[in-house]
C-alpha cells in the first residue's frame, strides 16, 4: 500500500484545483488524475463499494448526502475508489450538460477530497486548517472576472502584507496590456503592534477552525498565505465577493478599519476609494409672525422666531448628536454613543456618490417673504477634501439623496427610543399575582372593536401581532394586542368557560419592506412552522440588500 503522505499529497493537489474558481474543466479532467489514482491503488468500480457501504444514501452522486456522512468515513481506500469512479464518470460517460465543475459536482469533490486529506494527514489537523500563532499574512485580491476586458489603467489586483510587529506593505496593480500588470501604488507604513496582533489573531482564528469554501460565478478571487511563529505557511483561497461568508465580510471590514484603508479589496471586494469621517448638517429657519395685537408705539410689525437644528455623525468619537435650538433659552439635545453602530452607519454610505447632485429650484418658484429655511452640510473624508453644501431646505434645494439619508438616520435614532422611565407600558404594568389570569385585548383592524382573549404567556406586549381563533368555526387569523390586563377569577372581564386562547406570537420575517404588506412567521400549536401576511402594517424602510452575484457555500471538513 502507498504511504499516507502520497495520498495526502494527492488530496491536497486536487482539492486545491477544485476549489480554485479559475480552474477550467480540462484541468481537472487531466489523465494525471487517473494515473495518480492507479499508483495509489484506488480502483474504478463505478462507486459500487461506496454505495454498498452506504446503501440508504445517495452520497455517491449528491454532495448534500455526502456531507451528512463525510465525518463517519474512515476508510481511505473506499473514499479513494469513490473519487476515482466519480471522476471517471464525468470523463467517460457523463451526458450533455453534465459539468464536472458545476457547483453540485465541484462541491462533491471538495467535500470528498477534504476528508481524504484529513484521513491521510498526520492525525493532528488538516493542512487546510491553520495551526499555531500568526506571525504574518499576505493577501492577494484579484478582481478580474468574466466580462469586458479591463482598461489599461483599471486596478485589477492588490497585495497586502501585515507583520506582527506592525509593519504593513501594500501595492496595487493595473491591467496594463494584459500580459504584464503595472504597479500603480505602493504604501509601506506601520501601525500599532496591538492592532497588528489583533488583525493577525482574528484571521488566524477564523482559519483555525472549520470554515466555508465559497464559490461565486463571474467574480474575482483572493489568495492568502498565513505564516505562523514556527515559519510554517498555510495557503487559502476563495471568491472575491460579499455574502459568501458573514465572518469573512466582517474580517474585511475590520482590516480596512484598523489600517484606515477603505480602498482594500481583501476578501469581499467591497473596496471604496474613500470613506466619510464626519457629517454635520445645520438647519436654520427664520419665521416672521404677525401678532394679533401690537402695542401702541411699537416700531416692529413682526415677531421673529429664530429656530435651528444641528446633527453631527462622527466616526472618531462614534457619536451621533442632535441639537434643537428652539428659541432663546430653550435647547434640546440628544447624544447617541454607539460603538460600531455609528461606524457602520457611515460605512454604509458610498463616499463617491454621497450628496453628489442637487437638482436646484427653478427661477420662478414662489418665495415666502415671511419665512426662510436654509441649510449647510459639511462632509469630511479620510482622503478627499472637505465638502460644503449650502442652499434652501426643500426637496429641490437639498441633495437628491438627502431624504433617503435622513430616513436612515431617523431610523437609527428611533431604534433606541426614549427609554423606559417614562414608558407607561413599563411603569404602568402591575406585577401579576399567582392567582391572576392574563387577558389580552386585541383588535383585527385599526378602527374595529377589541376582543378579549386568554393566555398563560406573560411575554406578550401591547402592539404584538398574534394568531387567534375567530368566528364560530375558530379559524386562525391575525390580530394586534391593544392592551394586557391581569384579573382574578372573580374579576375576569369575560367568562373563563367561554373565552378563547391566543395561539401564537408572530415574529417579523423581514421588517425592511417598502410596501404595506409585512410578512410574519410563527409556530402553530401543532408544531408546524407557518407564515402569514399582515396588511396595513406600513414600513417605509427600503431594502438594503445589494444585488450581488449568487454565491454558493460548501462546508469544508
Amino acid at each position: 500500500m502507498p504511504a499516507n503522505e502520497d495520498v495526502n499529497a494527492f488530496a491536497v493537489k486536487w482539492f486545491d484545483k477544485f476549489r480554485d474558481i479559475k480552474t477550467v474543466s480540462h484541468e481537472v479532467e487531466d489523465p494525471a488524475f487517473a494515473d495518480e489514482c492507479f499508483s495509489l491503488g484506488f480502483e474504478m468500480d463505478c462507486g459500487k463499494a461506496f454505495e454498498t457501504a452506504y446503501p440508504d444514501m445517495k452520497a455517491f452522486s449528491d454532495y448534500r448526502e455526502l456531507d451528512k456522512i463525510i465525518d463517519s468515513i474512515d476508510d481511505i481506500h473506499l473514499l479513494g475508489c469513490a473519487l476515482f469512479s466519480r471522476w471517471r464518470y464525468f470523463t467517460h460517460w457523463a451526458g450533455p450538460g453534465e459539468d464536472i465543475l458545476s457547483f453540485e459536482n465541484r462541491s462533491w469533490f471538495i467535500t470528498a477530497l477534504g476528508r481524504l486529506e484529513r484521513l491521510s494527514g498526520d492525525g493532528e489537523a488538516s493542512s487546510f486548517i491553520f495551526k499555531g500563532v500568526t506571525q504574518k499574512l499576505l493577501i492577494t485580491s484579484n478582481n478580474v472576472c468574466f466580462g469586458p476586458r479591463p482598461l489599461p489603467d483599471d486596478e485589477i489586483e492588490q497585495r497586502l502584507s501585515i507583520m506582527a510587529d506592525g509593519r504593513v506593505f501594500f501595492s496595487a496593480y493595473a491591467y496594463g496590456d494584459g500580459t504584464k500588470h503595472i504597479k500603480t501604488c505602493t504604501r509601506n507604513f506601520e501601525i500599532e503592534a496591538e492592532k497588528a496582533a489583533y488583525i493577525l489573531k482574528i484571521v488566524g482564528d477564523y482559519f483555525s477552525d472549520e470554515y466555508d469554501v465559497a464559490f461565486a460565478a463571474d467574480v474575482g478571487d483572493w489568495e492568502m498565505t498565513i505564516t505562523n511563529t514556527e515559519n510554517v505557511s498555510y495557503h487559502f483561497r476563495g471568491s472575491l465577493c460579499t455574502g459568501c461568508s458573514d465572518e469573512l465580510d466582517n474580517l474585511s471590514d475590520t482590516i480596512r478599519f484598523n489600517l484606515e484603508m477603505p480602498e482594500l479589496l481583501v476578501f469581499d471586494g467591497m473596496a471604496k476609494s474613500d470613506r466619510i469621517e464626519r457629517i454635520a448638517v445645520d438647519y436654520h429657519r427664520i419665521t416672521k409672525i404677525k401678532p394679533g395685537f401690537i402695542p401702541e408705539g411699537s416700531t416692529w410689525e413682526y415677531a421673529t422666531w429664530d429656530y435651528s437644528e444641528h446633527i453631527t455623525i462622527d466616526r472618531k468619537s462614534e457619536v451621533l448628536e442632535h441639537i434643537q435650538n428652539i428659541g432663546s433659552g430653550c435647547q434640546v439635545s440628544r447624544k447617541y454613543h454607539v460603538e460600531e453602530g455609528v461606524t457602520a452607519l457611515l460605512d454604509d454610505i458610498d463616499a463617491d456618490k454621497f450628496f453628489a447632485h442637487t437638482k436646484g429650484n427653478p427661477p420662478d418658484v414662489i418665495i415666502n417673504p415671511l419665512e426662510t429655511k436654509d441649510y449647510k452640510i459639511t462632509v469630511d473624508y479620510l482622503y478627499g477634501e472637505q465638502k460644503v453644501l449650502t442652499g434652501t431646505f426643500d426637496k429641490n434645494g437639498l441633495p437628491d439623496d438627502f431624504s433617503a439619508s435622513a430616513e436612515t438616520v431617523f431610523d437609527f435614532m428611533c431604534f433606541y427610543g426614549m427609554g423606559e422611565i417614562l414608558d407607561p407600558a413599563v411603569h404602568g404594568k402591575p406585577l401579576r399575582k399567582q392567582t391572576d389570569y392574563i387577558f389580552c385585548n386585541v383588535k383585527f383592524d385599526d378602527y374595529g372593536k377589541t376582543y378579549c382573549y386568554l393566555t398563560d404567556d406573560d411575554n406578550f406586549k401591547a402592539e404584538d401581532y398574534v394568531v387567534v381563533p375567530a368566528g364560530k368555526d375558530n379559524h386562525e387569523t391575525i390580530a394586534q394586542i391593544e392592551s394586557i390586563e391581569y384579573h382574578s377569577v372573580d374579576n375576569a372581564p369575560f367568562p373563563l368557560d367561554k373565552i378563547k386562547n391566543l395561539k401564537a406570537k408572530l415574529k417579523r420575517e423581514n421588517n425592511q419592506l417598502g410596501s404595506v404588506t409585512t410578512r410574519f412567521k410563527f409556530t402553530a400549536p401543532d408544531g408546524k412552522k407557518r407564515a402569514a401576511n399582515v396588511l396595513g402594517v406600513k414600513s417605509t424602510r427600503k431594502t438594503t440588500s445589494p444585488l450581488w452575484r449568487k454565491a454558493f457555500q460548501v462546508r469544508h471538513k
Side-chain angles (χ1 to χ4, degrees):
M1 291 292 292
N4 276 1
E5 60 190 50
D6 295 327
V7 178
N8 190 261
F10 166 83
V12 170
K13 170 185 174 180
W14 292 100
F15 178 94
D16 202 49
K17 283 184 178 293
F18 274 97
R19 72 172 175 171
D20 186 352
I21 62 173
K22 294 181 179 179
T23 296
V24 293
S25 296
H26 73 82
E27 292 180 90
V28 292
E29 293 175 350
D30 189 334
F33 188 98
D35 295 339
E36 293 173 29
C37 285
F38 280 127
S39 69
L40 295 172
F42 297 152
E43 302 169 7
M44 201 293 296
D45 64 352
C46 299
K48 291 180 180 179
F50 193 80
E51 290 179 335
T52 299
Y54 301 95
D56 298 326
M57 310 287 290
K58 295 182 179 179
F60 181 68
S61 57
D62 190 329
Y63 78 96
R64 290 173 290 263
E65 296 298 309
L66 178 63
D67 191 58
K68 294 176 183 178
I69 62 162
I70 193 66
D71 287 334
S72 67
I73 300 175
D74 55 12
D75 188 329
I76 290 178
H77 184 71
L78 178 69
L79 186 55
C81 292
L83 274 161
F84 189 11
S85 299
R86 188 79 175 137
W87 177 87
R88 183 80 171 186
Y89 170 79
F90 286 105
T91 57
H92 288 73
W93 302 303
E98 293 186 280
D99 182 5
I100 192 172
L101 289 181
S102 68
F103 167 69
E104 292 80 4
N105 299 325
R106 187 196 291 257
S107 302
W108 190 95
F109 279 98
I110 285 178
T111 302
L113 287 163
R115 181 60 179 171
L116 186 65
E117 187 275 337
R118 293 294 296 271
L119 292 174
S120 59
D122 57 15
E124 295 181 2
S126 168
S127 60
F128 304 126
I129 302 296
F130 176 71
K131 297 184 291 291
V133 178
T134 309
Q135 178 68 18
K136 63 180 179 180
L137 62 84
L138 167 64
I139 304 172
T140 301
S141 307
N142 189 298
N143 62 7
V144 174
C145 57
F146 294 104
R149 180 176 177 173
L151 297 175
D153 294 335
D154 287 347
E155 183 179 283
I156 52 90
E157 186 172 287
Q158 295 179 353
R159 299 174 189 173
L160 174 69
S161 297
I162 304 175
M163 309 297 175
D165 59 6
R167 288 178 297 154
V168 179
F169 304 92
F170 172 78
S171 56
Y173 297 82
Y175 185 71
D177 60 5
T179 59
K180 183 178 181 180
H181 301 330
I182 301 173
K183 184 182 289 188
T184 58
C185 174
T186 299
R187 287 185 61 189
N188 300 330
F189 59 96
E190 291 188 13
I191 60 174
E192 297 174 5
E194 291 79 7
K195 284 187 176 182
Y198 174 66
I199 294 173
L200 296 181
K201 182 180 186 304
I202 60 174
V203 174
D205 287 350
Y206 176 76
F207 289 96
S208 295
D209 200 357
E210 182 178 283
Y211 60 92
D212 292 322
V213 179
F215 304 102
D218 300 341
V219 298
D221 68 341
W222 57 264
E223 297 182 6
M224 179 175 63
T225 299
I226 306 179
T227 304
N228 65 18
T229 51
E230 298 178 359
N231 207 33
V232 179
S233 296
Y234 298 81
H235 306 283
F236 307 89
R237 68 171 74 218
S239 295
L240 189 70
C241 65
T242 183
C244 289
S245 164
D246 290 340
E247 292 86 352
L248 274 183
D249 290 350
N250 290 335
L251 288 178
S252 299
D253 288 336
T254 299
I255 292 172
R256 293 188 189 102
F257 176 78
N258 282 280
L259 299 185
E260 294 194 349
M261 296 181 69
E263 69 271 26
L264 293 177
L265 293 168
V266 206
F267 306 114
D268 62 4
M270 298 298 288
K272 298 179 180 178
S273 60
D274 207 344
R275 79 179 187 197
I276 294 175
E277 298 296 293
R278 187 175 185 273
I279 301 172
V281 180
D282 291 286
Y283 167 71
H284 190 199
R285 171 174 59 81
I286 296 179
T287 304
K288 295 181 178 180
I289 305 171
K290 190 169 186 177
F293 172 76
I294 300 178
E296 186 176 349
S298 298
T299 58
W300 50 269
E301 184 178 1
Y302 297 95
T304 301
W305 183 8
D306 192 335
Y307 174 88
S308 64
E309 289 185 42
H310 179 74
I311 286 182
T312 56
I313 308 173
D314 184 69
R315 181 186 296 272
K316 185 176 181 180
S317 63
E318 295 188 304
V319 168
L320 184 154
E321 186 172 21
H322 179 215
I323 300 173
Q324 289 178 271
N325 293 301
I326 298 172
S328 178
C330 183
Q331 184 183 83
V332 178
S333 63
R334 195 161 179 82
K335 182 180 291 187
Y336 302 81
H337 177 232
V338 185
E339 291 184 3
E340 298 185 6
V342 172
T343 298
L345 192 65
L346 292 172
D347 283 342
D348 282 341
I349 299 173
D350 187 331
D352 295 331
K353 298 179 180 179
F354 185 63
F355 292 170
H357 180 262
T358 301
K359 180 178 180 180
N361 285 300
D364 60 345
V365 294
I366 299 173
I367 303 297
N368 183 355
L370 300 180
E371 185 173 75
T372 60
K373 297 179 182 178
D374 301 299
Y375 72 86
K376 178 182 178 181
I377 299 174
T378 306
V379 184
D380 294 309
Y381 297 89
L382 177 64
Y383 297 137
E385 295 182 358
Q386 184 184 75
K387 177 189 289 185
V388 178
L389 303 173
T390 59
T392 57
F393 197 87
D394 53 70
K395 181 176 181 179
N396 293 329
L398 287 160
D400 297 347
D401 50 341
F402 182 85
S403 293
S405 299
E407 183 178 1
T408 300
V409 175
F410 182 75
D411 286 350
F412 181 91
M413 296 166 66
C414 288
F415 177 79
Y416 299 98
M418 291 293 293
E420 298 183 0
I421 293 177
L422 306 178
D423 187 352
V426 179
H427 64 69
K429 182 178 180 179
L431 295 177
R432 183 166 65 97
K433 296 182 292 185
Q434 291 184 355
T435 57
D436 284 346
Y437 288 84
I438 306 172
F439 298 89
C440 297
N441 299 309
V442 309
K443 57 184 179 180
F444 296 97
D445 57 64
D446 290 339
Y447 306 104
K449 61 181 293 187
T450 59
Y451 296 83
C452 190
Y453 282 84
L454 186 67
T455 182
D456 58 2
D457 188 345
D458 208 11
N459 293 316
F460 288 119
K461 300 187 298 293
E463 298 187 1
D464 281 347
Y465 282 89
V466 291
V467 180
V468 298
K472 294 181 179 180
D473 60 350
N474 287 325
H475 64 275
E476 290 184 356
T477 188
I478 297 169
Q480 187 177 26
I481 296 177
E482 186 173 79
S483 62
I484 298 175
E485 303 172 7
Y486 300 144
H487 295 288
S488 65
V489 175
D490 296 335
N491 295 320
F494 200 88
L496 294 182
D497 59 344
K498 295 182 179 180
I499 196 169
K500 298 178 181 180
N501 286 273
L502 291 181
K503 294 289 187 181
K505 179 179 178 179
L506 279 70
K507 296 180 180 179
R508 286 182 186 269
E509 194 172 74
N510 185 353
N511 66 351
Q512 292 185 324
L513 301 177
S515 66
V516 295
T517 302
T518 300
R519 188 164 179 81
F520 290 88
K521 58 183 178 181
F522 66 96
T523 301
D526 58 8
K528 296 181 179 179
K529 294 189 180 297
R530 302 179 181 175
N533 291 323
V534 179
L535 297 178
V537 184
K538 187 172 183 179
S539 172
T540 57
R541 294 186 65 185
K542 298 177 176 61
T543 300
T544 56
S545 300
L547 296 176
W548 51 275
R549 301 173 183 87
K550 186 176 181 180
F552 304 94
Q553 295 183 336
V554 177
R555 189 159 62 97
H556 172 63
K557 299 292 181 184

